[in-house]
Amino acid sequence: MEIIKDPAAFQKQSLAWRAEGLRVALVPTMGALHAGHFKLIECARQMADRVSVSIFVNPMQFGPGEDLGKYPRTFEADAEGCRKHGADAIFAPAPGSVYPAGFQTTVHVGGLTAPLCGKSRPGHFDGVTTVVLKLLLLGQPSVALFGWKDAQQLLVIQRMVRDLDVPVAIMGVEIVREADGLALSSRNVYLTPEQRAEAPRIQKGLAAAKKAFEGGEREAAQLLAIARAPIEACPLMRIDYLEARSMETLEEVARADAGNTLVAAAVFLGTTRLIDNVRF
Ligand code: AMP
């Protein structure tokens, strides 16, 4: 497994693989890798001849006052995990080589970025789409894998790739959870033991809403009330958003629709903001 820091060298390697006729998969990450990331790498391994993992804490997707400075950085363990799970290359650039002096381009996806995390984190998705388009151009994958944990991110990237005719398939991978239901996240390390004990309430609420949907409930207001109950019962938690939206347009829906409804939540535990979702 190669560790490549220089963007031009990464692109050269990627183009050489493609010229050999190899199928290349890319797994973009911000490091602090966990079993969720490793599932993406394993899926990539099954789909491609060469697997590249990018590890880059992208400053452009963090807002002022967010956790860019304290975001966990665990490169040695990440590299070991990538090797173990079958990556062929790690691309780990320095911020200055991704955004050199004079950089002034932003990729902006329209409507899909307006609600949910786009509303809570202004500019976040511009940072995501700008870096992901760069990573796709450098990594030259035929498939790039993203987790459903960040459902809005996945939908936004699918939209960008369609709108800009980027020749890559975007694949979504199911959310990997702890035994108690909490979605794995690099940010879970910020939780105090007390907060960690309460954190599974987010998934419990979402799972209860899904169960009600499967039992025939279609009113979004009812489903959201069910999802909200265990979260609101916890004094340590503050809901940032909890909404039912169309998976196609991310517009709010009054009635849930099989195959097309996303119920997404962002919840603060202290200063730590966790996201999770279910799809019907
Ligand atoms: P991050 O390093 O948090 O930017 O995540 C990199 C990729 O891993 C994104 O596509 C995430 O959606 C995905 N990911 C993060 N956590 C999970 C999880 N628990 N299950 C599945 N995918 C995940």
Side-chain angles (χ1 to χ4, degrees), residues 28-31 34 36-37 40 71 145-150 153 173-176 183-184 186:
T29 82
M30 298 204 299
H34 52 60
H37 299 112
L40 300 189
Y71 197 83
L145 295 94
F146 295 84
W148 271 110
K149 157 108 179 341
D150 301 271
Q153 168 173 282
V173 176
E174 205 35 73
I175 303 173
V176 178
L184 290 183
S186 305

Side-chain angles (χ1 to χ4, degrees), residues 100-159:
F103 188 92
Q104 47 188 277
T105 301
T106 302
V107 180
H108 174 72
V109 173
L112 288 180
T113 63
L116 305 175
C117 287
K119 191 168 172 198
S120 307
R121 304 182 67 188
H124 167 68
F125 285 115
D126 286 357
V128 170
T129 45
T130 302
V131 82
V132 169
L133 185 59
K134 282 175 68 84
L135 292 169
L136 294 173
L137 291 167
L138 294 171
Q140 296 288 315
S142 40
V143 59
L145 295 94
F146 295 84
W148 271 110
K149 157 108 179 341
D150 301 271
Q152 186 177 17
Q153 168 173 282
L154 174 59
L155 297 172
V156 165
I157 289 165
Q158 278 173 339
R159 185 76 255 167

